[in-house]
Amino acid sequence: MDTSRRTLLRTAAVLGGIAATGLAPLGRAIAGAPAILKGLPASWFVDYGTNAEMKWESVRPGDYLTRQSHLFVRNHTATPTIDASSYALKVYGDGLSTARTADAPVVLTLKDLKKLPRTKLVTTHECTGNGRSFFSAQQGTPASGTAWTLGAVGTVEWEGVRLRDVLKRIGINPAAVSIQATGLDAPYSTGGVDYGPVRRPFPVSKALDDALLAWSANGAALLPDHGYPLRLVLPGWVGIASIKWLGSLEVSLTELTSPWNTKWYRMTGPSYPADSPPLTVNPVRSAWELPWGAGLDVGHDHLLTGRSWSGAGPVVKVDVSVDGGATWTRARIERRPKQHGWTQWSYSWNRPRAGQYVLMARATDSKGRVQPLETPFNDNGYFFDAVVKHPVTVV
């Protein structure tokens, strides 16, 4: 999607002020300000303005969880600053046991939510467009949107309260089918159209299964860029479904819709029907923990590492190739998934000769889903799950 006009104007104003002083903010790229608040050092991130991608070479192989400081950022407008002391979640709709209107919702403060049973949940959190650039670079079919490589992903241990416990406290009608989560960020505008705040519905069945309202990541309060003070987490599902800066939940007896599940975040293009459903469960993907085009020393053994993940279930095996797919070898599993997290693996490359090589990693999850060698094109570049061809040079 295009960056909103509002964010562009705010960014231009800030950049103008910086240019006038001849100074630049320390520890981050200028382009992200003011859409992203945390530092974006170039050694950790590719800065796209409203979005920022984690560089895989910045990942420490021994770490399982992704630090918030390193986690990718996907914003539609700009990160808001919200006062937790005055924050409240509003819950309403005809799907509650006692119907409530948006003007007379059930109001829950953070203090109210923290009185309920707490839960910690590890999930791999990922942008739907992760890998989008490879539609162009690898398959020759460019797609619109942020040109992510594979760094719009991370694994986080969230802490919060199960949504089912919140709904049990409030009371939900057994006939309720849909819940719409709405964020507190600024309305999203593009092409002269104001689409309102970011919002997306999901089934009550998901809410009653594993949905979480999270106020913490990896043992610390959420950073503003990652949803402070409260966000929704839908394990295994597309990132857009896990609404940040959660402001309200509408519980409905009928199916709810928004532009984020009708206009966007569904497959469109020549390979898909006009009524293709909204995207939910993430595909299988793999990444090497190496710079793109990395240089490796000749005459040495190299222990290469990587990670694989899936929204449907744990990754159970990973096959790797160092010759562009001509031959394949089973990678060594170093750490199996925690709950909904990723699998860490390694491959020992013994004394490769000097030359150009293409590394490939192909994962299989517990549901039998295997990464393909090619992904059918869609207009918005969602769900690129093909095996990525990672170039390296041995010198």
Side-chain angles (χ1 to χ4, degrees):
M1 300 176 197
D2 296 331
T3 303
S4 73
R5 182 174 181 271
R6 177 181 290 101
T7 299
L8 288 174
L9 290 174
R10 290 177 62 192
T11 303
V14 171
L15 293 181
I18 291 171
T21 63
L23 300 174
L26 298 176
R28 62 163 301 129
I30 294 174
I36 297 173
L37 299 183
K38 72 179 183 180
L40 301 177
S43 59
W44 295 356
F45 290 100
V46 178
D47 187 341
Y48 295 110
T50 54
N51 305 323
E53 176 174 3
M54 178 191 73
K55 290 184 175 180
W56 273 100
E57 59 265 34
S58 75
V59 175
R60 296 189 298 196
D63 290 350
Y64 188 79
L65 300 177
T66 306
R67 290 168 285 170
Q68 286 195 80
S69 59
H70 282 60
L71 186 62
F72 79 98
V73 180
R74 169 65 173 108
N75 284 347
H76 281 77
T77 54
T79 296
T81 53
I82 299 170
D83 182 357
S85 66
S86 59
Y87 168 83
L89 173 67
K90 298 177 181 179
V91 185
Y92 65 95
D94 60 10
L96 297 178
S97 56
T98 300
R100 294 272 194 147
T101 66
D103 295 330
V106 175
V107 176
L108 298 170
T109 65
L110 280 177
K111 185 176 181 180
D112 293 330
L113 292 170
K114 290 181 178 181
K115 290 177 181 177
L116 297 172
R118 299 186 180 196
T119 297
K120 290 184 178 180
L121 185 65
V122 176
T123 74
T124 296
H125 180 61
E126 183 174 27
C127 178
T128 321
N130 199 23
R132 177 182 285 124
S133 65
F134 295 111
F135 277 107
S136 174
Q138 190 163 296
Q139 297 186 178
T141 53
S144 63
T146 299
W148 305 107
T149 52
L150 284 173
V153 65
T155 290
V156 177
E157 182 182 64
W158 311 99
E159 183 177 7
V161 58
R162 295 277 190 184
L163 181 50
R164 63 172 175 252
D165 291 334
V166 176
L167 295 174
K168 180 180 179 181
R169 170 182 167 170
I170 296 172
I172 184 171
N173 188 317
V177 296
S178 184
I179 299 177
Q180 179 122 270
T182 300
L184 293 171
D185 42 339
Y188 176 70
S189 298
T190 185
V193 179
D194 185 342
Y195 289 97
V198 177
R199 60 201 185 279
R200 199 172 196 261
F202 59 101
V204 165
S205 58
K206 182 69 171 174
L208 299 179
D209 179 18
D210 56 6
L212 188 74
L213 303 185
W215 53 70
S216 170
N218 303 336
L222 295 171
L223 290 179
D225 294 307
H226 299 300
Y228 179 87
L230 189 76
R231 70 173 299 155
L232 176 67
V233 176
L234 297 186
W237 278 33
V238 292
I240 184 62
S242 293
I243 296 294
K244 296 189 286 186
W245 317 295
L246 185 63
S248 67
L249 294 168
E250 179 185 1
V251 184
S252 178
L253 297 173
T254 58
E255 293 290 346
L256 299 171
T257 62
S258 85
W260 283 269
N261 79 326
T262 56
K263 181 177 177 64
W264 305 301
Y265 298 98
R266 46 182 294 274
M267 295 297 200
T268 61
S271 300
Y272 300 95
D275 60 348
S276 60
L279 296 174
T280 55
V281 178
N282 278 320
V284 190
R285 292 185 175 108
S286 300
W288 296 86
E289 295 170 343
L290 279 173
W292 195 254
L296 303 175
D297 293 335
V298 71
H300 293 273
D301 294 340
H302 296 279
L303 180 65
L304 305 181
T305 59
R307 310 193 186 208
S308 300
W309 57 95
S310 165
V315 165
V316 295
K317 67 177 181 178
V318 181
D319 295 307
V320 299
S321 173
V322 295
D323 54 16
T327 60
W328 294 86
T329 303
R330 184 66 45 84
R332 176 185 175 87
I333 299 299
E334 298 290 350
R335 189 177 298 182
R336 297 193 180 276
K338 294 180 179 180
Q339 295 177 309
H340 303 278
W342 48 25
T343 294
Q344 293 175 278
W345 46 265
S346 68
Y347 170 72
S348 296
W349 198 7
N350 298 321
R351 293 181 175 271
R353 297 180 179 180
Q356 305 285 330
Y357 293 86
V358 174
L359 307 184
M360 301 170 70
R362 180 178 60 197
T364 302
D365 71 14
S366 61
K367 302 296 184 182
R369 302 192 307 170
V370 183
Q371 289 184 259
L373 296 179
E374 186 169 332
T375 300
F377 175 77
N378 66 89
D379 296 326
N380 290 300
Y382 299 137
F383 279 14
F384 186 89
D385 59 348
V387 176
V388 170
K389 300 176 180 179
H390 192 128
V392 299
T393 303
V394 178
V395 293

